């Protein structure tokens, strides 16, 4: 079966003032694919992800989501369709874990409260954090916070999830639970774009790995004996 194209990025360029961050970035992402992006610090990986859901605006080229230019989507809809998981979790500190999960469902998706609590409870069971549902983010470990942030994004049923260095703020022990959750998403046919330095992990789970540089994305060839399927 031919998979449908979710995202098409066509010769995109981005500058801050006179400073060109990157130009000529093109990429196609099909439904269910896992694409990883690597590149040195400061090369523009975060900027690139931000351009996809218009946290930053591009200067040239175009980005199509399901065949439609992202500038033609209402921003709220675009950000629901392209979920963003940040390095530093971005949870609401004044809301409990359960409330962090239900707020988008009730306020953006207009799902009624009782149903949203049920959905949030189910996902907390899946990520093994149900007993933390009434805790506040500051009472969680970094790994637990990041799993809640990922769960919050999944609940919005986005077309694509962007993960920007999702484990870089975590120590080795906590990384594992987050990486396990990400590979689980891959198995469940979610479409993911991951920026990460966890090379062996991303080579294992990605369909394609690209390196970002100033002049675009370059496909990384798997090393002999390694499989990027
Ligand atoms: N809001 C901004 N205004 C001006 N320059 C920025 C802004 N955000 C990032 N930059 C610059 O753009 C470049 C790329 O940054 P970034 O996308 O964060 O890189 P990476 O995520 O690959 O480390 C860096 O030189 C950074 O200083
Ligand atoms: Mg970054």
């Amino acid at each position: 079966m031919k998979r449908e194209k979710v995202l098409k990025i066509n010769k995109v360029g981005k500058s801050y003032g006179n400073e060109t961050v990157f130009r000529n970035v093109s990429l196609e992402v099909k439904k269910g694919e896992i694409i990883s992006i690597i590149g040195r610090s400061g090369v523009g990986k975060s900027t690139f992800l931000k351009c996809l859901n218009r946290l930053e605006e591009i200067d040239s080229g175009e980005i199509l989501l399901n065949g439609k230019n992202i500038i033609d989507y209402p921003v709220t809809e675009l950000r629901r369709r392209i979920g963003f998981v940040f390095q530093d979790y971005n949870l609401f500190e004044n809301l409990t874990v359960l409330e962090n999960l239900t707020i988008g469902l009730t306020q953006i998706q207009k799902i009624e409260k009782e149903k949203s609590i049920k959905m949030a409870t189910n996902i907390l069971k899946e990520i093994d954090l149900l007993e933390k549902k009434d805790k506040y983010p500051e009472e969680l470990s970094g790994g637990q916070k990041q799993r809640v942030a990922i769960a919050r994004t999944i609940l919005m049923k986005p077309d694509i999830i962007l993960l920007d260095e999702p484990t870089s703020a975590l120590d080795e022990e906590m990384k594992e639970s987050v990486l396990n959750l990400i590979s689980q998403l891959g198995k469940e046919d979610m479409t993911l774009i991951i920026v990460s330095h966890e090379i062996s992990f991303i080579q294992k789970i990605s369909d394609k790995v690209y390196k970002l540089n100033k002049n675009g994305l370059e496909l990384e060839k798997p090393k002999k004996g390694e499989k990027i399927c």
Side-chain angles (χ1 to χ4, degrees):
M1 190 181 73
K2 211 171 158 217
R3 284 179 174 254
E4 54 190 293
K5 218 179 291 166
V6 182
L7 194 67
K8 186 167 167 56
I9 297 166
N10 231 341
K11 296 190 174 163
V12 159
K14 171 73 186 166
S15 310
Y16 288 114
N18 293 330
E19 202 63 29
T20 300
V21 183
F22 50 74
R23 59 186 148 230
N24 220 10
V25 172
S26 296
L27 176 68
E28 281 188 12
V29 184
K30 297 196 186 83
K31 192 170 178 322
E33 269 190 326
I34 302 182
I35 302 291
S36 291
I37 295 176
I38 57 174
R40 65 171 175 77
S41 176
V43 77
K45 303 180 298 298
S46 297
T47 301
F48 173 67
L49 292 185
K50 286 178 189 163
C51 288
L52 302 181
N53 75 352
R54 296 188 66 198
L55 290 169
E56 290 289 348
E57 298 293 343
I58 57 176
D59 302 312
S60 55
E62 58 176 10
I63 301 171
L64 307 179
L65 175 68
N66 300 321
K68 180 168 143 183
N69 197 312
I70 60 166
I71 58 176
D72 295 326
Y73 283 89
V75 170
T76 327
E77 185 188 340
L78 180 70
R79 294 196 184 147
R80 189 183 59 70
R81 287 178 174 274
I82 303 185
F84 205 123
V85 175
F86 298 88
Q87 175 179 352
D88 54 0
Y89 335 119
N90 238 25
L91 296 174
F92 298 110
E93 293 294 330
N94 58 333
L95 299 182
T96 64
V97 164
L98 192 73
E99 289 163 347
N100 262 285
L101 294 176
T102 55
I103 189 167
L105 296 173
T106 54
Q107 297 200 356
I108 297 171
Q109 300 218 51
K110 309 291 180 206
I111 291 172
E112 63 180 54
K113 186 135 188 235
E114 218 166 288
K115 188 172 176 206
S116 71
I117 291 175
K118 218 176 257 173
M119 290 166 74
T121 306
N122 283 341
I123 205 157
L124 281 172
K125 264 186 223 155
E126 274 173 42
I127 62 171
D128 213 14
L129 285 178
L130 189 58
E131 85 265 26
K132 303 284 186 194
K133 75 180 170 58
D134 298 319
K135 302 277 185 216
Y136 287 86
E138 64 176 13
E139 300 174 275
L140 304 183
S141 72
Q144 290 168 338
K145 278 193 257 201
Q146 193 57 297
R147 273 146 64 209
V148 173
I150 294 171
R152 180 178 60 173
T153 305
I154 298 167
L155 278 176
M156 301 302 279
K157 294 204 168 60
D159 298 331
I160 305 182
I161 298 181
L162 313 176
L163 298 121
D164 190 4
E165 306 205 24
T167 59
S168 60
L170 306 176
D171 61 33
E172 285 305 319
E173 219 172 298
M174 289 179 201
K175 267 180 196 170
E176 200 176 312
S177 65
V178 173
L179 295 178
N180 284 341
L181 177 57
I182 295 170
S183 42
Q184 192 60 37
L185 299 184
K187 288 188 194 118
E188 287 168 15
D189 222 21
M190 297 274 338
T191 310
L192 308 177
I193 302 182
I194 309 172
V195 167
S196 176
H197 295 294
E198 301 289 330
I199 298 292
S200 61
F201 172 74
I202 59 175
Q203 291 210 325
K204 221 185 299 161
I205 68 157
S206 304
D207 294 293
K208 285 175 189 144
V209 178
Y210 291 92
K211 185 183 259 172
L212 180 64
N213 58 54
K214 216 175 176 132
N215 294 309
L217 285 171
E218 194 185 313
L219 191 61
E220 281 282 292
K221 298 269 183 299
K223 292 195 192 83
K224 225 176 169 175
E226 278 173 349
K227 186 173 171 244
I228 299 178
C229 46

